[in-house]
Amino acid sequence: MRQRRETASSNGEASEKSGNDAEMCTTVHIGNPRRSSFVWLALLLIITYCCSSIYHYQFQRLPVPLTAEEAGKRGFSEIEAFKHVKALTEVGPHSVGSEALHIAVQYVLTASQTIKKTAHWEVDVEVDFFHAESGANRLDSGLFVGKTPVYSDISHVVVRIAPKYVPEAREQSILVSSHIDTVFSTGGAGDCSSCIGVMLELARGISQSAHGFKRAVIFLFNTGEEEGLNGAHSFVTQHPWSKTVRKAIDLEAMGIGGKSSIFQAGPHPWAIENFASVAKYPSAQIISQDLFYSGIINSGTDFQVYKEVAGLSGLDFAYVDNTAVYHTKNDKLEFLKNGSLQHLGENMLAFLIHVGASSHFPEENSTEAEEDMSKNNAIYFDILGTWMVVYRQKFANMLYNSVIMQSLLILATSLVMGGIPAAVSFALSCLSILLMWVIALGFSFLVAFLLPLISSSPVPYVSSPWLVVGLFGAPAFLGALTGQHLGFLLLQKYLLNAHSNGRQLPPITKAAVVEIEAERWLYKAGSFQWLILLILGNYFKIGSSYLALVWLVFPAFAYGFFEATLTSARLPKPLKLATLLLGLAIPILISAGIFIRLVATIIGNMVRFERNPGGNPEWLGNFVIAAFIAALLCLTLVYLLSYIHLSGAKRAIILATLVLFSLSFALVLSGVVPPFSEDTVRAVNVVHVVDATGKVDEGQNPISYVSLFSTTPGNLNKEAEQINEGFVCGKDKTVDFVTFSVNYGCWTYNDTPTGWSETDIPTMHVDSDAQENGRITQVSINTKGSFRWALAINTEEIEDFKFKDARNSEELIPVDKKSSVNGWHIIRFSGGKNASTLFELTLYWRSGSTHNSDAPLLKLRTDVDRSTPIIERVLKKLPRWCSLYGKSTSPYTFAFFRNLPVNF
């Protein structure tokens, strides 16, 4: 009788011996599944440090500013550009219609004329002071759905630079554009005096080198952008030079300083491809374009006008550092980092010189359909701000489809060869991914929900963004580890049962083999989730799908390179550390900086998160950040987490994560780290409101009060207490500002009857109401002294309308199909001091209208750039951590309300 004895060594070796004086040994090394806790804690710290270093190298490393002497006549000098930024900022806030804007425009005009005088003798520089009498911006996408911006009496400076002895160059122009105007609440050092300063210095440099160009460069210094992209619209629809423009470059800011990155490009890829070939410090991320087009970033730039109205392709740049200061008092020179202007200026100068002298210059517009544009779009991103990758969607389709097909083929082959055990193991490993997501989101959502209940502010991390690492990152990490570990235990239990019915191994060996197999299945499941994202991204033609490709291919390659193929005669070994390091090196290098920048941008946007103050739960903003961070961790740490389950570092890692969370939570609870500071402020609005709604009889007294509200989540009790002007806060008084509603705010009636008179109140008068061939109503509107106002038209009652300037009977908005939002179409008017205040509105009623609506027929808000005595006192007492916030839909510090009921 043959006797057999099996043993398992401490390092996981299995041996087999047989009797009858003969011994046959079969030894299989499976390695030690346990790993040092010190090694893994160190590895996590190293990865964190590397991610931070990549971010700083990619986005915070700026070129050295050059003086005029160092740059030379044809170079770009930040020192010279900064002089322009400083001069424009010192003017103070210069919104449309203000005297300050007139001064700013005159400064740009004078600087442009100086460039003309000093240009190279073979270069022709034309300076045009362009005045747009009136117009209506009929965009119907993005922010403009249900809205029509109307403008009047706005002025721009247009500079055309062309080679003097190449007359045909003027027929093919490149447009470089930005806006001079600011919102009323800031001097606009970042948005966008920095852009204007760069453009003036660019124009000076181009004026010295354009004699070798084959086409002209037009610099458009426009106004009216902040009120609805009106300057760009007036140029492309009214200026004769616009007919020669073939490509458009827009310079913008959603913060101040840092690197100016391309966040929109196309539709034709020519511009981005040429930029990538010559840019000295490339910075461009298509993921920003994807977020912008999806509506997650709810904003608009002049590039939208150039693309949709003029049918142009091109590039859209933006400064996004310190985005929390956007449109607040802190958009000032002190926060403009050295090297910011030099970075954009050198990139743009190299690009303009290259394309200006290029013999190849496509003339097709984005509106022309010579080929399927979906196959011609560019996929673009930079690596460490040093190299730039650009390829077209057609190539992306081939590449992604190839990777998808090969991945699915490999997966299917392994499942077929492994049979039912492999299929069940794969399903359980996918379940672990699902559990990871659910619990990671659950833990981070729980913290997001609790923060408003225990903190003085629902967003206590705004002034200290690093707090989100502990507040949301730590719970998400614990949740991801917990969820994946639960899946690991289920997978381990199944594999133990499967091995019990198969090859007989000692219990110790079997347990080690099962753990290692489970580890490998979790690693493969990590690749599978990225494969799913790649399939979805490729199907919907999402540009940032390259991230899924990178996170799929390199870890899969490392796994195939280092990990031996399993056979029936060979047991598995623990995953090698080299597999993890090689697999994650390139994905982290390419994406770490981008992910950190996106998180920082989202945190900065919390300052202006609420478009209708008080209309959302206080925890909603936290949920957005928590979800984003949890998703990033689940996607990027899935490979690393699969190693930890066999590690002796689980307890140490969990303890360290709990300590990080506890410290962050304690800092928030104690108030040691304030939610806002003098440098990172809370956005508020203070408006003296005169409410004359429903006052058909002019003799009735209107209601007057001061409204205090904030676009930053959280109550205003502390601010109202410090101001000490009798403010009452709550949701008891909803204020309809026509373009938005304040559902939570503070109000006071102290000293509000002074500083205005009833002659300032706008009027709406029904001139005629005819019933022939459908009901048609004529309404005359007098906005009195206001050149900035918003009128909402009830589209539940009104099918269409036309709008005229009563002074000259010019039709500003014709009768045609108009969109609406929530039953309203809004006309937003802005203009200079010579703009009209008298208008005629013709309303065409719906045939099925009951005329019994509780809502008014028309709602009017007029803004006046004036401070009453109560407003001056409130602004002086405003806490240092608060700032007025301006945007196209927000009122000035003084506003009048008027309406016209349906049954007038």
Side-chain angles (χ1 to χ4, degrees):
M1 179 177 178
R2 185 181 182 188
Q3 295 177 338
R4 191 170 78 176
R5 181 166 56 94
E6 292 178 310
T7 63
S9 63
S10 62
N11 67 345
E13 295 179 355
S15 63
E16 184 182 308
K17 295 184 180 180
S18 60
N20 297 327
D21 298 325
E23 187 177 73
M24 179 180 65
C25 296
T26 302
T27 302
V28 179
H29 295 269
I30 61 173
N32 187 353
R34 297 187 66 79
R35 304 180 176 103
S36 166
S37 59
F38 174 78
V39 170
W40 282 97
L41 284 173
L43 181 62
L44 284 171
L45 289 175
I46 291 171
I47 291 175
T48 303
Y49 175 77
C50 288
C51 291
S52 176
S53 299
I54 289 169
Y55 167 73
H56 281 88
Y57 190 88
Q58 185 171 3
F59 292 109
Q60 302 299 312
R61 183 177 57 100
L62 295 168
V64 177
L66 299 180
T67 63
E69 293 74 20
E70 292 170 329
K73 276 190 174 184
R74 299 180 182 180
F76 183 92
S77 166
E78 174 172 309
I79 306 304
E80 295 302 306
F82 186 81
K83 293 177 182 178
H84 299 306
V85 181
K86 187 172 184 293
L88 291 170
T89 306
E90 287 175 347
V91 172
H94 35 284
S95 55
V96 172
S98 66
E99 181 60 29
L101 180 59
H102 174 72
I103 295 172
V105 170
Q106 288 302 313
Y107 174 86
V108 173
L109 180 61
T110 301
S112 300
Q113 290 168 340
T114 301
I115 291 170
K116 178 178 181 177
K117 293 176 184 176
T118 59
H120 189 279
W121 66 276
E122 290 184 286
V123 175
D124 190 16
V125 178
E126 302 168 80
V127 179
D128 182 35
F129 183 72
F130 173 54
H131 180 257
E133 289 289 345
S134 60
N137 192 341
R138 301 301 309 280
L139 287 171
D140 197 24
S141 62
L143 290 176
F144 296 92
V145 176
K147 302 178 182 69
T148 302
V150 177
Y151 52 88
S152 177
D153 187 31
I154 58 175
S155 299
H156 323 305
V157 177
V158 192
V159 179
R160 181 164 66 179
I161 303 175
K164 186 174 291 184
Y165 302 110
V166 187
E168 64 271 17
R170 291 170 177 78
E171 300 305 313
Q172 289 188 330
S173 304
I174 306 161
L175 175 68
V176 182
S177 169
S178 192
H179 62 95
I180 305 172
D181 62 307
T182 71
V183 293
F184 75 94
S185 55
T186 179
D191 185 22
C192 211
S193 295
S194 59
C195 310
I196 298 298
V198 167
M199 284 175 57
L200 286 170
E201 177 62 5
L202 279 173
R204 184 205 59 76
I206 295 295
S207 72
Q208 301 298 322
S209 56
H211 53 281
F213 282 18
K214 293 181 173 63
R215 55 197 54 89
V217 179
I218 295 175
F219 291 91
L220 170 62
F221 305 88
N222 71 65
T223 66
E225 191 272 350
E226 296 290 5
E227 298 296 341
L229 318 183
N230 297 329
H233 184 271
S234 65
F235 174 79
V236 300
T237 57
Q238 300 179 33
H239 199 284
W241 293 353
S242 67
K243 306 288 191 299
T244 69
V245 176
R246 298 294 178 265
K247 301 294 173 188
I249 313 298
D250 181 50
L251 308 184
E252 257 297 350
M254 200 175 72
I256 182 167
K259 289 190 173 182
S260 183
S261 301
I262 295 174
F263 71 104
Q264 290 188 89
H268 195 281
W270 182 86
I272 188 70
E273 288 172 344
N274 278 269
F275 177 83
S277 68
V278 297
K280 191 174 181 181
Y281 314 105
S283 183
Q285 295 82 36
I286 197 171
I287 191 171
S288 301
Q289 177 174 301
D290 290 339
L291 293 172
F292 202 81
Y293 288 174
S294 70
I296 294 175
I297 300 177
N298 198 6
S299 186
T301 71
D302 284 339
F303 191 70
Q304 183 178 356
V305 174
Y306 301 137
K307 188 172 69 170
E308 297 181 17
V309 178
L312 298 171
S313 292
L315 304 173
D316 201 3
F317 292 80
Y319 289 113
V320 295
D321 264 23
N322 204 358
T323 187
V325 310
Y326 179 69
H327 284 191
T328 69
K329 66 181 182 181
N330 284 333
D331 186 2
K332 52 189 179 183
L333 284 175
E334 294 91 307
F335 292 104
L336 186 59
K337 297 177 183 176
N338 289 337
S340 301
L341 307 182
Q342 193 72 39
H343 174 265
L344 175 59
E346 286 200 52
N347 281 342
M348 279 296 301
L349 184 61
F351 172 72
L352 291 175
I353 290 174
H354 175 71
V355 299
S358 174
S359 57
H360 174 59
F361 195 69
E363 296 189 21
E364 63 268 15
N365 292 347
S366 65
T367 53
E368 296 176 351
E370 292 132 351
E371 62 177 311
D372 186 2
M373 268 299 176
S374 65
K375 296 180 180 179
N376 210 26
N377 291 332
I379 313 298
Y380 57 90
F381 57 93
D382 72 88
I383 301 175
L384 297 179
T386 304
W387 304 281
M388 193 162 170
V389 178
V390 181
Y391 53 93
R392 298 195 179 190
Q393 185 66 53
K394 188 175 182 180
F395 174 77
N397 292 341
M398 293 189 294
L399 176 62
Y400 299 167
N401 285 331
S402 174
V403 171
I404 290 169
M405 293 305 296
Q406 291 181 59
S407 300
L408 291 175
L409 181 62
I410 293 171
L411 177 61
T413 302
S414 64
L415 293 180
V416 169
M417 291 180 64
I420 293 177
V424 175
S425 298
F426 176 69
L428 289 174
S429 63
C430 291
L431 176 63
S432 74
I433 299 295
L434 181 61
L435 290 172
M436 178 181 69
W437 277 83
V438 170
I439 300 178
L441 287 169
F443 281 10
S444 53
F445 282 168
L446 179 62
V447 176
F449 181 77
L450 291 176
L451 272 181
L453 303 178
I454 61 174
S455 172
S456 61
S457 170
V459 287
Y461 43 79
V462 169
S463 66
S464 306
W466 50 267
L467 277 174
V468 301
V469 177
L471 291 175
F472 301 124
F477 179 83
L478 284 175
L481 180 59
T482 302
Q484 198 183 66
H485 192 67
L486 289 175
F488 174 80
L489 295 176
L490 291 173
L491 181 57
Q492 191 178 17
K493 183 177 180 180
Y494 169 76
L495 289 172
L496 278 171
N497 292 332
H499 277 280
S500 298
N501 301 325
R503 183 176 179 181
Q504 296 300 315
L505 295 172
I508 296 176
T509 304
K510 184 189 298 183
V513 169
V514 164
E515 286 180 338
I516 294 169
E517 284 190 13
E519 177 184 62
R520 287 170 172 261
W521 276 113
L522 293 181
Y523 189 96
K524 294 174 186 176
S527 295
F528 183 69
Q529 76 166 350
W530 282 108
L531 175 60
I532 294 298
L533 289 179
L534 182 60
I535 292 171
L536 293 174
N538 188 46
Y539 179 79
F540 291 106
K541 300 296 182 287
I542 298 172
S544 48
S545 299
Y546 78 90
L547 292 169
L549 178 76
V550 168
W551 280 91
L552 168 64
V553 169
F554 288 99
F557 171 78
Y559 183 87
F561 185 78
F562 284 110
E563 307 303 332
T565 303
L566 300 181
T567 68
S568 58
R570 189 172 182 181
L571 297 179
K573 296 180 181 179
L575 292 174
K576 297 178 179 66
L577 186 60
T579 303
L580 182 67
L581 296 178
L582 179 64
L584 296 187
I586 300 300
I588 288 176
L589 189 72
I590 290 176
S591 62
I594 297 171
F595 290 153
I596 294 173
R597 186 178 177 94
L598 286 175
V599 172
T601 302
I602 294 173
I603 293 171
N605 277 316
M606 288 299 110
V607 169
R608 50 190 179 275
F609 180 73
E610 296 204 309
R611 290 186 173 270
N612 295 288
N616 298 316
E618 289 189 337
W619 44 258
L620 185 60
N622 292 337
F623 268 51
V624 172
I625 295 179
F628 190 76
I629 292 176
L632 282 183
L633 292 183
C634 288
L635 288 169
T636 58
L637 295 185
V638 63
Y639 299 111
L640 186 146
L641 290 177
S642 65
Y643 278 71
I644 293 178
H645 306 295
L646 299 187
S647 166
K650 282 198 297 291
R651 290 184 180 179
I653 290 172
I654 291 172
L655 180 61
T657 307
L658 287 173
V659 169
L660 176 62
F661 170 72
S662 300
L663 286 175
S664 302
F665 213 64
L667 288 173
V668 170
L669 287 177
S670 64
V672 173
V673 180
F676 309 104
S677 66
E678 211 163 350
D679 292 339
T680 307
V681 294
R682 181 176 191 177
V684 300
N685 287 89
V686 182
V687 187
H688 190 157
V689 175
V690 176
D691 187 349
T693 56
K695 303 293 186 295
V696 179
D697 182 0
E698 296 292 339
Q700 296 185 41
N701 293 324
I703 302 170
S704 178
Y705 57 91
V706 174
S707 176
L708 169 67
F709 57 91
S710 175
T711 56
T712 311
N715 66 61
L716 289 161
N717 296 333
K718 187 177 180 181
E719 289 80 0
E721 182 181 350
Q722 181 162 329
I723 294 171
N724 192 27
E725 284 290 347
F727 279 101
V728 177
C729 301
K731 292 191 173 185
D732 302 330
K733 186 181 180 66
T734 299
V735 183
D736 184 353
F737 278 93
V738 180
T739 52
F740 66 96
S741 294
V742 175
N743 299 289
Y744 169 85
C746 306
W747 60 93
T748 182
Y749 297 94
N750 287 359
D751 196 24
T752 55
T754 60
W756 60 277
S757 68
E758 292 196 11
T759 57
D760 296 325
I761 300 174
T763 61
M764 290 190 289
H765 183 264
V766 177
D767 295 328
S768 66
D769 187 31
Q771 297 287 346
E772 298 178 6
N773 298 321
R775 187 178 180 185
I776 301 175
T777 302
Q778 298 275 358
V779 181
S780 59
I781 300 172
N782 186 347
T783 61
K784 298 298 179 70
S786 175
F787 304 105
R788 184 181 190 265
W789 49 264
L791 175 70
I793 300 169
N794 188 339
T795 55
E796 298 292 327
E797 301 288 340
I798 302 301
E799 183 174 4
D800 208 342
F801 65 88
K802 64 180 176 181
F803 186 69
K804 289 184 177 182
D805 183 340
R807 290 186 310 180
N808 52 21
S809 297
E810 179 188 3
E811 187 175 77
L812 298 173
I813 305 176
V815 174
D816 60 4
K817 187 177 181 181
K818 300 177 180 70
S819 61
S820 64
V821 175
N822 299 324
W824 297 95
H825 186 92
I826 298 175
I827 301 173
R828 293 205 322 249
F829 182 92
S830 64
K833 295 190 179 299
N834 295 320
S836 177
T837 58
L838 300 174
F839 303 93
E840 295 176 359
L841 179 66
T842 304
L843 303 173
Y844 300 89
W845 294 70
R846 293 189 180 276
S847 57
S849 174
T850 61
H851 314 319
N852 293 322
S853 174
D854 293 332
L857 184 66
L858 303 175
K859 298 186 296 183
L860 176 65
R861 185 198 84 215
T862 59
D863 301 333
V864 181
D865 192 9
R866 186 169 79 215
S867 292
T868 59
I870 179 63
I871 289 294
E872 290 179 353
R873 292 204 307 272
V874 171
L875 293 179
K876 285 180 181 178
K877 297 178 182 179
L878 203 64
R880 59 182 177 78
W881 66 82
C882 292
S883 168
L884 291 180
Y885 173 68
K887 57 181 179 179
S888 61
T889 57
S890 62
Y892 288 157
T893 52
F894 197 13
F896 293 92
F897 293 169
R898 192 82 187 185
N899 70 10
L900 183 69
V902 172
N903 296 312
F904 51 79

